[in-house]
Amino acid sequence: MIKKISKLQIARFISQLIFLFLLPGIFVLAFSQIGILYSNILKGNFDLITLFSSISIAVITLLTTIILGRFFCGWMCSFGFMNDVIYMLSSKIFKTKFKVDEKTDNLLKLLKYIILVLIGIFVWTLKNSNLNNYSPWNAFAQIPNLKTAIFQYSLGFIILGIIIVGAAFVERFFCRYLCPLGGIFTLTSKFRLFKINKPTKKCGKCRLCTNNCAMGIDLYKYPKVTSGECIDCLKCLDVCPRKNTQMNIVGENITPTLASSIAIATFAGMYAGSNFISSSLPNTTPPISTTTANPQVKYKDGTYTASGTGFSPNLQVSVTIKDNKISNIELLSNNETPKFFERASSVVPDEIIKAQSTNVDAVSGATRSSNGIIEAVQNALEKAK
């Protein structure tokens, strides 16, 4: 007998697919921007207007999660979607489900908080950017550039491989146990407006809701789902034979279709609004990092082409030398995220020409694209010696 897939889960799949194509790396951007927010608060120079374009995605995802719950994780996150697809295919192939017992599951879920703390200390506080190359998220985002990226993100790809194997046996393996962004959302979503009610007095002994929960929440114990682990996949609503499980907002039951539509529309509307606001604000982002100065050397006149690595490999520039000075820098090609590359490219080349040195500051919020431009210019100057 073929198991029928609900219309709600089909809608969720379509939503995930759309976000995969339109905003594939938004989960990485959201987390990196939370790091920028944290760093500026730590330094005591937080200014929302100045930083808004650098933290807009983080603000949107945090606000929607605090108010509505983790619909971002269940309906919009591309990395979560990858976990869903792997588990679905694995279930079809192996015809079985691997279940982690409650005690072990709850213990393993603490790992994401440990990872979050370690990132907070070594990456956000101590500014150890080398650890970015170990990120499975960054490796995932580099799959289109696999031939070149696999050398830079080799450990990240190994960790990604482990996650893929884990996702084949445990549903939402990464989201449950390893996702630092999920760790933040677990805490911020506990007071959300949308909740799932399931009065236990009307429940039978089937535990279908618990057995089908993507995040392994022991739903059979509670009349209301308040756990921050809930990603609002709404599978528990689909499988309940008594229709006892309901989506609820401030005491009123609503249809899950309406709830998911509100969440997606809110996120999309805020995203569009933030882009409009960001384009209207002057680019006054403060610098947060620097590179090593070039020694004073003699350069041959001419135009030199070289490449560097920003968030992605193969960021190419051409540098023109005239009378032993850098007279022009042209950005030829790149694989960067457009929004962040534009912020870096509008500032860094002019600063290099003005300083006649690559000892310039990277643009906050576009640090890796900035450093990619700086590295490419340095490589071009090496050819000009």
Side-chain angles (χ1 to χ4, degrees), residues 169-214:
F169 296 97
V170 179
E171 190 169 10
R172 287 273 177 157
F173 174 81
F174 180 78
C175 308
R176 285 197 203 188
Y177 307 134
L178 304 176
C179 179
L181 184 60
I184 295 171
F185 287 164
T186 300
L187 301 175
T188 59
S189 66
K190 291 185 76 67
F191 304 103
R192 61 193 180 274
L193 295 179
F194 286 152
K195 291 184 172 65
I196 296 172
N197 283 349
K198 45 174 297 299
T200 50
K201 63 181 180 180
K202 295 181 180 179
C203 282
K205 297 181 179 181
C206 64
R207 295 192 181 182
L208 282 173
C209 57
T210 298
N211 294 336
N212 285 273
C213 178

Side-chain angles (χ1 to χ4, degrees), residues 3 33 59 61 68 96 99 104 112 133 159 176 181 201 206 208 212 234 263 299 304 306 308 326 338 348 360 371 377:
K3 186 178 179 180
Q33 288 184 9
V59 171
T61 51
L68 303 176
T96 185
K99 290 294 180 182
T104 303
K112 59 179 172 284
N133 296 337
I159 297 172
R176 285 197 203 188
L181 184 60
K201 63 181 180 180
C206 64
L208 282 173
N212 285 273
L234 307 182
Y299 296 115
Y304 303 89
I326 304 170
V348 175
V360 298
N371 288 339
V377 173

Side-chain angles (χ1 to χ4, degrees), residues 35 54 69-70 222 237-238 253 268 282 321 384:
S54 301
R70 292 178 63 180
Y222 311 108
L237 278 71
D238 284 331
N253 289 338
I321 304 294

Side-chain angles (χ1 to χ4, degrees), residues 75-86:
W75 291 71
M76 307 170 206
C77 177
S78 300
F79 206 76
F81 180 54
M82 180 199 76
N83 276 252
D84 284 342
V85 170
I86 292 170

Side-chain angles (χ1 to χ4, degrees), residues 84-222:
D84 284 342
V85 170
I86 292 170
Y87 185 74
M88 179 182 67
L89 294 175
S90 174
S91 298
K92 297 293 183 184
I93 294 171
F94 297 110
K95 306 292 183 182
T96 185
K97 288 187 176 183
F98 180 80
K99 290 294 180 182
V100 182
D101 67 85
E102 288 181 20
K103 187 176 180 180
T104 303
D105 184 67
N106 291 332
L107 188 63
L108 289 174
K109 282 174 178 173
L110 297 176
L111 283 174
K112 59 179 172 284
Y113 301 109
I114 296 173
I115 293 171
L116 177 61
V117 169
L118 291 176
I119 291 173
I121 294 172
F122 292 103
V123 179
W124 295 346
T125 303
L126 300 180
K127 305 298 180 186
N128 189 339
S129 60
N130 291 328
L131 294 178
N132 288 320
N133 296 337
Y134 302 159
S135 167
W137 278 355
N138 289 343
F140 177 76
Q142 297 303 324
I143 288 176
N145 308 308
L146 185 61
K147 288 183 179 179
T148 50
I150 196 166
F151 298 104
Q152 181 187 1
Y153 297 98
S154 54
L155 187 55
F157 277 108
I158 292 172
I159 297 172
L160 180 61
I162 294 171
I163 290 169
I164 290 172
V165 173
F169 296 97
V170 179
E171 190 169 10
R172 287 273 177 157
F173 174 81
F174 180 78
C175 308
R176 285 197 203 188
Y177 307 134
L178 304 176
C179 179
L181 184 60
I184 295 171
F185 287 164
T186 300
L187 301 175
T188 59
S189 66
K190 291 185 76 67
F191 304 103
R192 61 193 180 274
L193 295 179
F194 286 152
K195 291 184 172 65
I196 296 172
N197 283 349
K198 45 174 297 299
T200 50
K201 63 181 180 180
K202 295 181 180 179
C203 282
K205 297 181 179 181
C206 64
R207 295 192 181 182
L208 282 173
C209 57
T210 298
N211 294 336
N212 285 273
C213 178
M215 295 297 287
I217 306 170
D218 44 354
L219 297 175
Y220 71 93
K221 293 181 178 180
Y222 311 108

Side-chain angles (χ1 to χ4, degrees), residues 54 283 285-291 308-312 315 317 329 331 334 336-337 339-352 357-378:
S54 301
N283 188 359
T285 308
I288 60 170
S289 62
T290 60
T291 57
T309 299
F311 184 76
S312 301
L315 193 162
V317 305
I329 297 173
L331 304 173
N334 69 89
E336 305 294 287
T337 303
K339 178 178 179 181
F340 297 94
F341 182 73
E342 286 168 9
R343 299 186 66 246
S345 62
S346 66
V347 175
V348 175
D350 290 340
E351 291 299 312
I352 292 175
S357 168
T358 53
N359 182 30
V360 298
D361 295 315
V363 177
S364 177
T367 308
R368 302 190 73 179
S369 291
S370 299
N371 288 339
I373 295 172
I374 293 168
E375 180 188 339
V377 173
Q378 286 175 332

